[in-house]
Amino acid sequence: MDLDLGLMLVRLALGPMLVVHGLNKVFGSGGLAGTTRWFEHLGLRPAAWHARLAATLEVLAGAAMTLGLLSSVAATAYVGLMAVALATDHRGKGYFVFQGGFEYTIVIGMTAVAMASLGPGRWSLDHLLGIAWVGVGWAVAAVVVGLAGAAALMAACYRPFRAAT
């Protein structure tokens, strides 16, 4: 029972955080237009499409993690989202998040992979529905598929501005 409480607490830390992060892309101070400008600055083209995609994926994956529904699939989305954030926004800024570094993205991504390995616990929709997509294989799949998705997105859509020489 203690493990189930711990897993639920991790889900309640990870899930709502990502939901709010996604909603902020749409309803935050700059709104979707501000997020689009930010994504343009990051080099994600077309920026408006990426702003919507990121916001939607964050809300859906965060809600799934919160509820413990298709948790390993949600973990895969977390890995992909954090990999793209690391590669675009946090790259080259060192480790510490207070300096813009990748500390946050690594912690979030690795915690999501741990959830794919352990599962969401008995206090989850996965348990209620009999979905048992957990274990080492699912954790490895979350990493591989999440990173592959991020790499494909970056290869297809990452076009940073180059300084004129």
Short mmCIF file of all heavy atoms in Angstrom, two decimals, residues 5-69:
data_model
loop_
_atom_site.label_atom_id
_atom_site.label_comp_id
_atom_site.label_asym_id
_atom_site.label_seq_id
_atom_site.Cartn_x
_atom_site.Cartn_y
_atom_site.Cartn_z
N LEU A 5 0.74 4.63 -2.61
CA LEU A 5 0.69 6.03 -2.20
C LEU A 5 1.84 6.81 -2.83
O LEU A 5 1.63 7.90 -3.38
CB LEU A 5 0.74 6.15 -0.67
CG LEU A 5 0.82 7.58 -0.13
CD1 LEU A 5 -0.41 8.39 -0.53
CD2 LEU A 5 1.01 7.57 1.37
N GLY A 6 3.04 6.25 -2.78
CA GLY A 6 4.20 6.92 -3.38
C GLY A 6 4.03 7.14 -4.87
O GLY A 6 4.33 8.23 -5.38
N LEU A 7 3.54 6.13 -5.58
CA LEU A 7 3.33 6.27 -7.02
C LEU A 7 2.27 7.31 -7.34
O LEU A 7 2.42 8.10 -8.27
CB LEU A 7 2.97 4.91 -7.63
CG LEU A 7 4.09 3.88 -7.60
CD1 LEU A 7 3.55 2.50 -7.99
CD2 LEU A 7 5.24 4.29 -8.49
N MET A 8 1.20 7.32 -6.53
CA MET A 8 0.17 8.34 -6.75
C MET A 8 0.74 9.75 -6.50
O MET A 8 0.46 10.68 -7.26
CB MET A 8 -1.04 8.11 -5.84
CG MET A 8 -2.16 9.11 -6.10
SD MET A 8 -3.53 8.95 -4.97
CE MET A 8 -2.81 9.56 -3.46
N LEU A 9 1.56 9.90 -5.48
CA LEU A 9 2.15 11.21 -5.20
C LEU A 9 3.07 11.66 -6.33
O LEU A 9 3.07 12.84 -6.70
CB LEU A 9 2.89 11.19 -3.86
CG LEU A 9 1.99 11.06 -2.63
CD1 LEU A 9 2.83 10.88 -1.38
CD2 LEU A 9 1.07 12.26 -2.50
N VAL A 10 3.84 10.74 -6.89
CA VAL A 10 4.69 11.10 -8.03
C VAL A 10 3.82 11.51 -9.21
O VAL A 10 4.10 12.51 -9.88
CB VAL A 10 5.65 9.95 -8.40
CG1 VAL A 10 6.38 10.26 -9.70
CG2 VAL A 10 6.64 9.70 -7.27
N ARG A 11 2.75 10.75 -9.47
CA ARG A 11 1.83 11.12 -10.56
C ARG A 11 1.22 12.49 -10.31
O ARG A 11 1.06 13.28 -11.24
CB ARG A 11 0.71 10.08 -10.70
CG ARG A 11 1.16 8.76 -11.25
CD ARG A 11 0.01 7.84 -11.67
NE ARG A 11 -1.31 8.19 -11.23
CZ ARG A 11 -1.96 7.61 -10.21
NH1 ARG A 11 -1.40 6.63 -9.53
NH2 ARG A 11 -3.18 7.99 -9.90
N LEU A 12 0.87 12.78 -9.05
CA LEU A 12 0.26 14.07 -8.74
C LEU A 12 1.27 15.22 -8.77
O LEU A 12 0.88 16.39 -8.84
CB LEU A 12 -0.44 14.01 -7.37
CG LEU A 12 -1.68 13.12 -7.33
CD1 LEU A 12 -2.24 13.08 -5.92
CD2 LEU A 12 -2.73 13.58 -8.33
N ALA A 13 2.55 14.91 -8.75
CA ALA A 13 3.58 15.93 -8.95
C ALA A 13 3.84 16.13 -10.44
O ALA A 13 3.89 17.27 -10.93
CB ALA A 13 4.87 15.53 -8.23
N LEU A 14 3.98 15.04 -11.18
CA LEU A 14 4.30 15.13 -12.61
C LEU A 14 3.12 15.59 -13.46
O LEU A 14 3.27 16.44 -14.34
CB LEU A 14 4.73 13.75 -13.14
CG LEU A 14 6.13 13.27 -12.92
CD1 LEU A 14 6.30 11.90 -13.55
CD2 LEU A 14 7.14 14.24 -13.46
N GLY A 15 1.97 14.99 -13.23
CA GLY A 15 0.83 15.21 -14.12
C GLY A 15 0.31 16.63 -14.15
O GLY A 15 0.34 17.29 -15.21
N PRO A 16 -0.17 17.15 -13.03
CA PRO A 16 -0.69 18.53 -13.04
C PRO A 16 0.35 19.56 -13.47
O PRO A 16 0.02 20.54 -14.12
CB PRO A 16 -1.13 18.75 -11.59
CG PRO A 16 -1.45 17.38 -11.10
CD PRO A 16 -0.43 16.48 -11.76
N MET A 17 1.64 19.31 -13.14
CA MET A 17 2.69 20.24 -13.56
C MET A 17 2.70 20.37 -15.08
O MET A 17 2.76 21.47 -15.62
CB MET A 17 4.04 19.73 -13.04
CG MET A 17 5.26 20.52 -13.49
SD MET A 17 5.94 20.09 -15.12
CE MET A 17 6.20 18.34 -15.03
N LEU A 18 2.60 19.23 -15.79
CA LEU A 18 2.66 19.29 -17.25
C LEU A 18 1.36 19.84 -17.83
O LEU A 18 1.38 20.56 -18.82
CB LEU A 18 2.99 17.91 -17.84
CG LEU A 18 3.51 17.95 -19.27
CD1 LEU A 18 4.81 18.74 -19.38
CD2 LEU A 18 3.72 16.54 -19.80
N VAL A 19 0.22 19.52 -17.21
CA VAL A 19 -1.06 20.08 -17.67
C VAL A 19 -1.00 21.60 -17.60
O VAL A 19 -1.33 22.30 -18.57
CB VAL A 19 -2.25 19.55 -16.82
CG1 VAL A 19 -3.52 20.33 -17.12
CG2 VAL A 19 -2.47 18.06 -17.08
N VAL A 20 -0.58 22.13 -16.46
CA VAL A 20 -0.52 23.59 -16.29
C VAL A 20 0.50 24.19 -17.25
O VAL A 20 0.28 25.27 -17.81
CB VAL A 20 -0.22 23.94 -14.81
CG1 VAL A 20 0.08 25.42 -14.64
CG2 VAL A 20 -1.37 23.51 -13.93
N HIS A 21 1.60 23.50 -17.47
CA HIS A 21 2.62 23.98 -18.41
C HIS A 21 2.01 24.11 -19.82
O HIS A 21 2.24 25.09 -20.51
CB HIS A 21 3.80 23.00 -18.42
CG HIS A 21 5.08 23.59 -18.87
ND1 HIS A 21 5.91 24.31 -18.05
CD2 HIS A 21 5.69 23.56 -20.07
CE1 HIS A 21 6.97 24.70 -18.72
NE2 HIS A 21 6.86 24.25 -19.95
N GLY A 22 1.23 23.10 -20.22
CA GLY A 22 0.58 23.14 -21.53
C GLY A 22 -0.48 24.23 -21.61
O GLY A 22 -0.57 24.95 -22.61
N LEU A 23 -1.28 24.35 -20.56
CA LEU A 23 -2.32 25.39 -20.55
C LEU A 23 -1.71 26.78 -20.57
O LEU A 23 -2.26 27.71 -21.18
CB LEU A 23 -3.23 25.22 -19.34
CG LEU A 23 -4.12 23.99 -19.34
CD1 LEU A 23 -4.87 23.86 -18.02
CD2 LEU A 23 -5.08 24.00 -20.52
N ASN A 24 -0.56 26.94 -19.92
CA ASN A 24 0.12 28.23 -19.93
C ASN A 24 0.56 28.63 -21.34
O ASN A 24 0.59 29.82 -21.67
CB ASN A 24 1.33 28.20 -18.99
CG ASN A 24 1.95 29.56 -18.83
OD1 ASN A 24 1.30 30.50 -18.40
ND2 ASN A 24 3.20 29.67 -19.22
N LYS A 25 0.87 27.65 -22.17
CA LYS A 25 1.25 27.96 -23.55
C LYS A 25 0.10 28.61 -24.31
O LYS A 25 0.31 29.38 -25.24
CB LYS A 25 1.70 26.69 -24.28
CG LYS A 25 3.09 26.23 -23.92
CD LYS A 25 3.46 24.97 -24.66
CE LYS A 25 4.92 24.63 -24.54
NZ LYS A 25 5.43 24.51 -23.18
N VAL A 26 -1.13 28.29 -23.91
CA VAL A 26 -2.31 28.81 -24.59
C VAL A 26 -2.89 30.02 -23.86
O VAL A 26 -3.26 31.02 -24.48
CB VAL A 26 -3.39 27.71 -24.73
CG1 VAL A 26 -4.65 28.25 -25.39
CG2 VAL A 26 -2.84 26.52 -25.51
N PHE A 27 -2.97 29.93 -22.53
CA PHE A 27 -3.69 30.95 -21.76
C PHE A 27 -2.79 31.81 -20.88
O PHE A 27 -3.29 32.67 -20.17
CB PHE A 27 -4.74 30.26 -20.87
CG PHE A 27 -5.73 29.45 -21.64
CD1 PHE A 27 -5.73 28.07 -21.54
CD2 PHE A 27 -6.65 30.05 -22.49
CE1 PHE A 27 -6.64 27.29 -22.25
CE2 PHE A 27 -7.56 29.29 -23.21
CZ PHE A 27 -7.55 27.91 -23.08
N GLY A 28 -1.47 31.61 -20.93
CA GLY A 28 -0.55 32.40 -20.13
C GLY A 28 -0.49 33.84 -20.61
O GLY A 28 -1.21 34.25 -21.54
N SER A 29 0.38 34.63 -20.02
CA SER A 29 0.42 36.06 -20.29
C SER A 29 0.60 36.39 -21.76
O SER A 29 0.01 37.35 -22.25
CB SER A 29 1.52 36.72 -19.46
OG SER A 29 2.78 36.21 -19.84
N GLY A 30 1.38 35.62 -22.49
CA GLY A 30 1.57 35.89 -23.92
C GLY A 30 0.59 35.14 -24.80
O GLY A 30 0.53 35.37 -26.01
N GLY A 31 -0.13 34.20 -24.19
CA GLY A 31 -1.08 33.40 -24.95
C GLY A 31 -0.41 32.55 -26.01
O GLY A 31 0.82 32.41 -26.05
N LEU A 32 -1.20 31.99 -26.86
CA LEU A 32 -0.69 31.15 -27.93
C LEU A 32 0.20 31.94 -28.89
O LEU A 32 1.20 31.42 -29.40
CB LEU A 32 -1.84 30.49 -28.69
CG LEU A 32 -1.50 29.34 -29.61
CD1 LEU A 32 -0.72 28.25 -28.89
CD2 LEU A 32 -2.77 28.76 -30.21
N ALA A 33 -0.11 33.22 -29.08
CA ALA A 33 0.72 34.06 -29.96
C ALA A 33 2.13 34.22 -29.37
O ALA A 33 3.13 34.14 -30.09
CB ALA A 33 0.08 35.43 -30.15
N GLY A 34 2.21 34.39 -28.05
CA GLY A 34 3.52 34.49 -27.40
C GLY A 34 4.29 33.19 -27.48
O GLY A 34 5.51 33.18 -27.71
N THR A 35 3.60 32.08 -27.29
CA THR A 35 4.25 30.77 -27.41
C THR A 35 4.74 30.56 -28.83
O THR A 35 5.85 30.05 -29.05
CB THR A 35 3.28 29.65 -26.99
OG1 THR A 35 2.85 29.89 -25.64
CG2 THR A 35 3.93 28.28 -27.08
N THR A 36 3.94 30.96 -29.80
CA THR A 36 4.35 30.83 -31.20
C THR A 36 5.61 31.65 -31.45
O THR A 36 6.55 31.16 -32.10
CB THR A 36 3.21 31.28 -32.13
OG1 THR A 36 2.09 30.41 -31.92
CG2 THR A 36 3.62 31.23 -33.59
N ARG A 37 5.66 32.88 -30.94
CA ARG A 37 6.87 33.70 -31.11
C ARG A 37 8.08 33.03 -30.45
O ARG A 37 9.18 33.04 -31.00
CB ARG A 37 6.66 35.10 -30.54
CG ARG A 37 5.78 35.99 -31.40
CD ARG A 37 5.76 37.43 -30.93
NE ARG A 37 5.25 37.59 -29.57
CZ ARG A 37 3.96 37.69 -29.25
NH1 ARG A 37 3.03 37.63 -30.19
NH2 ARG A 37 3.59 37.84 -27.99
N TRP A 38 7.87 32.45 -29.27
CA TRP A 38 8.96 31.79 -28.56
C TRP A 38 9.46 30.59 -29.37
O TRP A 38 10.66 30.39 -29.52
CB TRP A 38 8.51 31.35 -27.17
CG TRP A 38 9.57 30.62 -26.41
CD1 TRP A 38 9.55 29.33 -26.00
CD2 TRP A 38 10.84 31.14 -26.01
NE1 TRP A 38 10.72 29.01 -25.35
CE2 TRP A 38 11.54 30.11 -25.34
CE3 TRP A 38 11.48 32.39 -26.14
CZ2 TRP A 38 12.81 30.27 -24.82
CZ3 TRP A 38 12.74 32.55 -25.62
CH2 TRP A 38 13.40 31.50 -24.97
N PHE A 39 8.54 29.79 -29.90
CA PHE A 39 8.93 28.63 -30.69
C PHE A 39 9.63 29.06 -31.98
O PHE A 39 10.55 28.38 -32.43
CB PHE A 39 7.72 27.74 -30.97
CG PHE A 39 7.37 26.81 -29.83
CD1 PHE A 39 7.52 27.20 -28.52
CD2 PHE A 39 6.89 25.55 -30.09
CE1 PHE A 39 7.21 26.35 -27.46
CE2 PHE A 39 6.58 24.69 -29.05
CZ PHE A 39 6.74 25.09 -27.73
N GLU A 40 9.21 30.15 -32.56
CA GLU A 40 9.89 30.71 -33.74
C GLU A 40 11.33 31.05 -33.36
O GLU A 40 12.27 30.71 -34.09
CB GLU A 40 9.15 31.95 -34.24
CG GLU A 40 9.77 32.60 -35.45
CD GLU A 40 9.48 31.87 -36.75
OE1 GLU A 40 8.51 31.11 -36.83
OE2 GLU A 40 10.26 32.07 -37.70
N HIS A 41 11.50 31.71 -32.22
CA HIS A 41 12.83 32.07 -31.72
C HIS A 41 13.69 30.82 -31.50
O HIS A 41 14.90 30.84 -31.75
CB HIS A 41 12.68 32.86 -30.42
CG HIS A 41 13.95 33.02 -29.65
ND1 HIS A 41 14.93 33.93 -30.01
CD2 HIS A 41 14.41 32.38 -28.55
CE1 HIS A 41 15.94 33.84 -29.15
NE2 HIS A 41 15.64 32.91 -28.26
N LEU A 42 13.06 29.74 -31.01
CA LEU A 42 13.79 28.50 -30.76
C LEU A 42 14.19 27.78 -32.04
O LEU A 42 15.07 26.92 -32.02
CB LEU A 42 12.96 27.54 -29.90
CG LEU A 42 12.70 27.97 -28.47
CD1 LEU A 42 11.76 26.98 -27.78
CD2 LEU A 42 14.00 28.12 -27.69
N GLY A 43 13.53 28.11 -33.15
CA GLY A 43 13.86 27.49 -34.42
C GLY A 43 12.93 26.36 -34.83
O GLY A 43 13.27 25.58 -35.72
N LEU A 44 11.80 26.23 -34.18
CA LEU A 44 10.83 25.19 -34.53
C LEU A 44 9.88 25.74 -35.58
O LEU A 44 9.16 26.70 -35.34
CB LEU A 44 10.07 24.73 -33.28
CG LEU A 44 10.93 24.01 -32.26
CD1 LEU A 44 10.20 23.84 -30.94
CD2 LEU A 44 11.39 22.66 -32.79
N ARG A 45 9.89 25.13 -36.76
CA ARG A 45 9.10 25.60 -37.89
C ARG A 45 8.13 24.52 -38.36
O ARG A 45 8.54 23.36 -38.46
CB ARG A 45 10.01 25.98 -39.07
CG ARG A 45 11.20 26.82 -38.69
CD ARG A 45 10.88 28.31 -38.72
NE ARG A 45 12.10 29.08 -38.61
CZ ARG A 45 12.61 29.54 -37.47
NH1 ARG A 45 11.99 29.32 -36.34
NH2 ARG A 45 13.71 30.23 -37.45
N PRO A 46 6.90 24.82 -38.64
CA PRO A 46 6.23 26.10 -38.43
C PRO A 46 5.88 26.29 -36.95
O PRO A 46 5.33 25.39 -36.31
CB PRO A 46 4.98 26.02 -39.29
CG PRO A 46 4.69 24.56 -39.41
CD PRO A 46 6.02 23.86 -39.31
N ALA A 47 6.22 27.43 -36.43
CA ALA A 47 6.13 27.69 -35.00
C ALA A 47 4.70 27.59 -34.47
O ALA A 47 4.48 27.07 -33.37
CB ALA A 47 6.71 29.07 -34.70
N ALA A 48 3.73 28.09 -35.21
CA ALA A 48 2.33 28.04 -34.73
C ALA A 48 1.88 26.60 -34.56
O ALA A 48 1.18 26.27 -33.59
CB ALA A 48 1.42 28.79 -35.69
N TRP A 49 2.26 25.74 -35.47
CA TRP A 49 1.89 24.33 -35.38
C TRP A 49 2.56 23.69 -34.16
O TRP A 49 1.94 22.95 -33.40
CB TRP A 49 2.30 23.61 -36.67
CG TRP A 49 1.93 22.17 -36.69
CD1 TRP A 49 0.72 21.64 -37.00
CD2 TRP A 49 2.79 21.06 -36.38
NE1 TRP A 49 0.76 20.27 -36.91
CE2 TRP A 49 2.02 19.88 -36.53
CE3 TRP A 49 4.11 20.95 -36.01
CZ2 TRP A 49 2.55 18.62 -36.31
CZ3 TRP A 49 4.64 19.69 -35.79
CH2 TRP A 49 3.85 18.55 -35.94
N HIS A 50 3.84 23.99 -33.95
CA HIS A 50 4.56 23.42 -32.82
C HIS A 50 4.03 23.92 -31.48
O HIS A 50 3.99 23.15 -30.51
CB HIS A 50 6.06 23.70 -32.93
CG HIS A 50 6.72 22.82 -33.94
ND1 HIS A 50 7.05 21.53 -33.68
CD2 HIS A 50 7.07 23.05 -35.22
CE1 HIS A 50 7.59 20.99 -34.76
NE2 HIS A 50 7.60 21.90 -35.70
N ALA A 51 3.63 25.17 -31.42
CA ALA A 51 3.06 25.71 -30.19
C ALA A 51 1.79 24.94 -29.82
O ALA A 51 1.59 24.56 -28.67
CB ALA A 51 2.76 27.20 -30.35
N ARG A 52 0.95 24.71 -30.80
CA ARG A 52 -0.29 23.96 -30.56
C ARG A 52 0.00 22.50 -30.23
O ARG A 52 -0.63 21.92 -29.33
CB ARG A 52 -1.21 24.07 -31.78
CG ARG A 52 -1.84 25.43 -31.93
CD ARG A 52 -2.53 25.60 -33.29
NE ARG A 52 -3.24 26.85 -33.38
CZ ARG A 52 -2.68 28.02 -33.64
NH1 ARG A 52 -1.36 28.10 -33.81
NH2 ARG A 52 -3.40 29.12 -33.71
N LEU A 53 0.92 21.89 -30.96
CA LEU A 53 1.28 20.50 -30.72
C LEU A 53 1.82 20.31 -29.31
O LEU A 53 1.41 19.40 -28.58
CB LEU A 53 2.30 20.02 -31.75
CG LEU A 53 2.84 18.61 -31.55
CD1 LEU A 53 1.73 17.57 -31.75
CD2 LEU A 53 3.99 18.35 -32.51
N ALA A 54 2.76 21.15 -28.91
CA ALA A 54 3.36 21.04 -27.58
C ALA A 54 2.31 21.24 -26.49
O ALA A 54 2.26 20.46 -25.53
CB ALA A 54 4.50 22.05 -27.42
N ALA A 55 1.48 22.26 -26.63
CA ALA A 55 0.44 22.51 -25.62
C ALA A 55 -0.51 21.32 -25.51
O ALA A 55 -0.83 20.87 -24.41
CB ALA A 55 -0.32 23.79 -25.97
N THR A 56 -0.95 20.81 -26.64
CA THR A 56 -1.89 19.68 -26.63
C THR A 56 -1.25 18.44 -26.03
O THR A 56 -1.86 17.77 -25.18
CB THR A 56 -2.37 19.38 -28.07
OG1 THR A 56 -3.01 20.55 -28.59
CG2 THR A 56 -3.33 18.20 -28.10
N LEU A 57 -0.04 18.13 -26.44
CA LEU A 57 0.64 16.94 -25.93
C LEU A 57 0.90 17.07 -24.43
O LEU A 57 0.76 16.09 -23.68
CB LEU A 57 1.94 16.72 -26.70
CG LEU A 57 2.61 15.36 -26.53
CD1 LEU A 57 1.65 14.22 -26.84
CD2 LEU A 57 3.83 15.28 -27.44
N GLU A 58 1.27 18.25 -23.98
CA GLU A 58 1.51 18.45 -22.55
C GLU A 58 0.23 18.26 -21.74
O GLU A 58 0.24 17.60 -20.70
CB GLU A 58 2.11 19.83 -22.30
CG GLU A 58 3.55 19.93 -22.75
CD GLU A 58 4.13 21.32 -22.66
OE1 GLU A 58 3.41 22.28 -22.28
OE2 GLU A 58 5.33 21.48 -22.96
N VAL A 59 -0.87 18.82 -22.20
CA VAL A 59 -2.14 18.66 -21.48
C VAL A 59 -2.58 17.20 -21.46
O VAL A 59 -2.95 16.66 -20.41
CB VAL A 59 -3.23 19.57 -22.07
CG1 VAL A 59 -4.60 19.24 -21.49
CG2 VAL A 59 -2.90 21.04 -21.81
N LEU A 60 -2.52 16.53 -22.61
CA LEU A 60 -2.97 15.14 -22.69
C LEU A 60 -2.06 14.20 -21.88
O LEU A 60 -2.55 13.36 -21.12
CB LEU A 60 -3.06 14.68 -24.13
CG LEU A 60 -4.16 15.33 -24.97
CD1 LEU A 60 -4.07 14.86 -26.42
CD2 LEU A 60 -5.53 15.07 -24.38
N ALA A 61 -0.75 14.32 -22.05
CA ALA A 61 0.17 13.45 -21.32
C ALA A 61 0.11 13.73 -19.81
O ALA A 61 0.14 12.80 -19.00
CB ALA A 61 1.60 13.64 -21.83
N GLY A 62 -0.02 14.99 -19.45
CA GLY A 62 -0.13 15.34 -18.03
C GLY A 62 -1.40 14.81 -17.41
O GLY A 62 -1.40 14.29 -16.29
N ALA A 63 -2.51 14.91 -18.13
CA ALA A 63 -3.78 14.39 -17.62
C ALA A 63 -3.71 12.87 -17.49
O ALA A 63 -4.15 12.30 -16.48
CB ALA A 63 -4.92 14.79 -18.54
N ALA A 64 -3.13 12.20 -18.48
CA ALA A 64 -2.99 10.75 -18.43
C ALA A 64 -2.13 10.33 -17.25
O ALA A 64 -2.46 9.37 -16.53
CB ALA A 64 -2.41 10.22 -19.75
N MET A 65 -1.01 11.02 -17.03
CA MET A 65 -0.14 10.69 -15.91
C MET A 65 -0.87 10.92 -14.58
O MET A 65 -0.78 10.10 -13.67
CB MET A 65 1.15 11.53 -15.97
CG MET A 65 2.17 11.17 -14.92
SD MET A 65 2.87 9.51 -15.05
CE MET A 65 3.95 9.70 -16.47
N THR A 66 -1.59 12.02 -14.47
CA THR A 66 -2.33 12.32 -13.25
C THR A 66 -3.31 11.20 -12.91
O THR A 66 -3.40 10.76 -11.77
CB THR A 66 -3.10 13.65 -13.39
OG1 THR A 66 -2.17 14.69 -13.68
CG2 THR A 66 -3.88 13.98 -12.13
N LEU A 67 -4.04 10.75 -13.91
CA LEU A 67 -5.06 9.72 -13.71
C LEU A 67 -4.49 8.31 -13.67
O LEU A 67 -5.19 7.37 -13.30
CB LEU A 67 -6.10 9.81 -14.84
CG LEU A 67 -6.88 11.11 -14.92
CD1 LEU A 67 -7.69 11.16 -16.20
CD2 LEU A 67 -7.76 11.28 -13.69
N GLY A 68 -3.25 8.15 -14.08
CA GLY A 68 -2.67 6.82 -14.18
C GLY A 68 -3.31 6.04 -15.31
O GLY A 68 -3.60 4.86 -15.18
N LEU A 69 -3.53 6.70 -16.42
CA LEU A 69 -4.16 6.09 -17.59
C LEU A 69 -3.14 6.01 -18.72
O LEU A 69 -2.59 7.03 -19.14
CB LEU A 69 -5.37 6.91 -18.04
CG LEU A 69 -6.08 6.43 -19.30
CD1 LEU A 69 -6.66 5.04 -19.07
CD2 LEU A 69 -7.17 7.41 -19.70
#
